[in-house]
């Protein structure tokens, strides 16, 4: 198991990939299972040294603390840091941390107290492989001003005519804010080459964590209309692109339901990371009577 040391007495940083059972696929995350005694500056320094899009820092929740849903020893406070800043919620690092815990204490129910709110996580085992399902905080969708959309397209180098009119531009939230943009073609999605600093400045102003760029594989009402290919620029985290983004997947599920583009119950399949050579698979579930979004995926140790 690979660890990172950042100085005397530094915590071990475990390395996992999420949304893939192959260490060469999915999105790598650092995981610190005991971050007791680390302050914010130290966490940021560790995350910067690890260099992954996010590292999760866990501390045990005191028994009887939090929302009361965690069994003893199964509740944790979690903070997430990119190499450049703290983020309120990170899906792939949540999946990675949950699987890392399950390898030590067994599958079952976990409760993560995150800066965005309480996130229950269920880890199951099938044939020796572990899989985690997170349940998001309640999502919302907001409009984006025309000038801001035009600036996002300019930073990306996209034309308005290259957008899918069936997937209107919106800001979507399920723990963190993401701008959803639908690409009209797979070729448009594949050709990602953007102005890093220009997009970063816009995202900081709009409090966006990533852009969720999506292409729907099938026509609405067809057999493949729940299959999407996605990419997530992440310049505010100091990373050009995130290989598999669970928080954005949750936000996207909420977006589809809020706009009436998908009716619950439904299960969506998101393919991400293929254009980066790190293919990952995210499953998004929408349930009737529950506004929250569930995101599932495998995880594997790196090294």
């Amino acid at each position: 198991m690979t660890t990172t040391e950042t100085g005397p007495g530094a915590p071990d940083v475990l390395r996992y990939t999420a949304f893939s059972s192959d260490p060469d696929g999915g999105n790598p995350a650092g995981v610190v299972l005991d971050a007791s005694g680390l302050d914010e500056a130290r966490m940021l320094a560790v995350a910067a040294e690890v260099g992954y899009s996010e590292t999760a820092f866990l501390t045990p929740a005191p028994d009887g603390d939090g929302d009361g849903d965690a069994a003893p020893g199964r509740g944790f406070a979690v903070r997430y840091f990119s190499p450049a800043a703290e983020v309120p919620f990170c899906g792939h690092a949540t999946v990675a941390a949950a699987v890392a815990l399950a390898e030590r204490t067994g599958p079952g129910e976990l409760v993560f107290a995150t800066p965005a709110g309480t996130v229950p996580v269920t880890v199951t085992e099938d044939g020796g492989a572990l899989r985690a399902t997170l349940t998001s905080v309640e999502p919302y969708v907001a409009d984006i001003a025309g000038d801001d959309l035009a600036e996002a397209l300019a930073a990306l180098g996209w034309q308005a005519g290259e957008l899918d009119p069936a997937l209107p531009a919106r800001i979507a939230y399920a723990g963190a804010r993401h701008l959803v943009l639908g690409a009209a073609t797979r070729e448009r999605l594949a050709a990602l080459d953007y102005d890093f600093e220009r997009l970063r400045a816009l995202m900081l102003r709009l409090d966006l964590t990533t852009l969720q760029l999506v292409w729907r594989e099938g026509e609405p009402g067809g057999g493949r209309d729940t299959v999407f290919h996605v990419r997530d620029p992440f310049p505010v985290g100091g990373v050009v692109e995130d290989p598999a983004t669970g928080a954005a997947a949750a936000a996207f599920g909420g977006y589809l339901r809020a706009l009436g583009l998908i009716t619950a119950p439904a299960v969506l399949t998101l393919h991400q990371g293929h254009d980066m050579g790190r293919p990952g698979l995210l499953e998004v579930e929408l349930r009737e009577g529950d506004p929250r979004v569930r995101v599932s995926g495998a995880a594997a140790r790196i090294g």
Side-chain angles (χ1 to χ4, degrees):
M1 182 182 304
T2 303
T3 63
T4 295
E5 295 294 334
T6 58
D12 286 340
V13 182
L14 311 177
R15 296 171 184 255
Y16 281 72
T17 195
F19 300 114
S20 175
S21 56
D22 180 354
D24 293 325
N27 195 355
V31 178
V32 177
L33 292 180
D34 185 3
S36 301
L38 294 182
D39 61 14
E40 182 175 314
R42 190 66 170 142
M43 292 181 193
L44 181 59
V46 171
E49 181 173 331
V50 172
Y52 292 155
S53 57
E54 272 98 5
T55 296
F57 296 85
L58 282 66
T59 52
D63 291 343
D65 224 11
D67 66 353
D69 289 337
R74 307 288 288 184
F76 298 86
V78 189
R79 296 178 71 178
Y80 309 94
F81 284 81
S82 78
E86 184 172 13
V87 296
F89 177 65
C90 172
H92 84 276
T94 295
V95 167
V99 168
L101 288 167
E103 287 181 345
R104 289 152 180 81
T105 62
E109 305 295 326
L110 299 164
V111 178
F112 286 179
T114 80
T118 300
V119 176
V121 187
T122 302
V123 183
T124 57
E125 183 176 3
D126 183 12
L130 294 172
R131 180 179 177 83
T133 298
L134 67 87
T135 299
S136 77
V137 299
E138 189 163 339
Y140 68 74
V141 174
D143 292 335
I144 180 170
D147 289 349
D148 291 334
L149 174 57
E151 177 62 12
L153 294 178
L156 288 169
W158 288 23
Q159 302 299 316
E162 295 177 304
L163 296 175
D164 182 350
L167 297 170
R170 295 289 190 276
I171 293 171
Y173 170 90
R177 286 162 55 92
H178 308 266
L179 173 58
V180 178
L181 296 176
T185 65
R186 183 67 179 88
E187 291 73 21
R188 173 66 280 177
L189 184 69
L192 182 62
D193 181 16
Y194 68 91
D195 186 325
F196 187 95
E197 291 301 330
R198 186 173 182 177
L199 187 59
R200 179 178 179 272
L202 175 68
M203 292 173 68
L204 287 172
R205 181 164 60 81
L206 298 180
D207 188 28
L208 301 175
T209 298
T210 74
L211 267 62
Q212 176 82 331
L213 309 178
V214 304
W215 174 73
R216 178 157 43 189
E217 190 169 297
E219 294 296 323
R224 303 288 290 176
D225 63 340
T226 58
V227 179
F228 296 85
H229 296 254
V230 304
R231 302 186 73 172
D232 282 72
F234 187 32
V236 295
V239 176
V240 172
E241 183 178 358
D242 208 22
T245 317
F252 183 55
Y255 156 97
L256 291 172
R257 178 165 48 192
L259 271 60
L261 302 174
I262 293 289
T263 301
V267 176
L268 317 172
T269 301
L270 275 57
H271 297 280
Q272 190 174 354
H274 291 71
D275 296 298
M276 301 176 66
R278 294 196 65 91
L281 188 64
L282 300 85
E283 183 179 278
V284 178
E285 182 187 2
L286 306 176
R287 295 184 182 179
E288 280 188 283
D290 187 347
R292 300 173 301 172
V293 181
R294 288 160 177 82
V295 179
S296 301
R301 285 182 289 182
I302 299 173

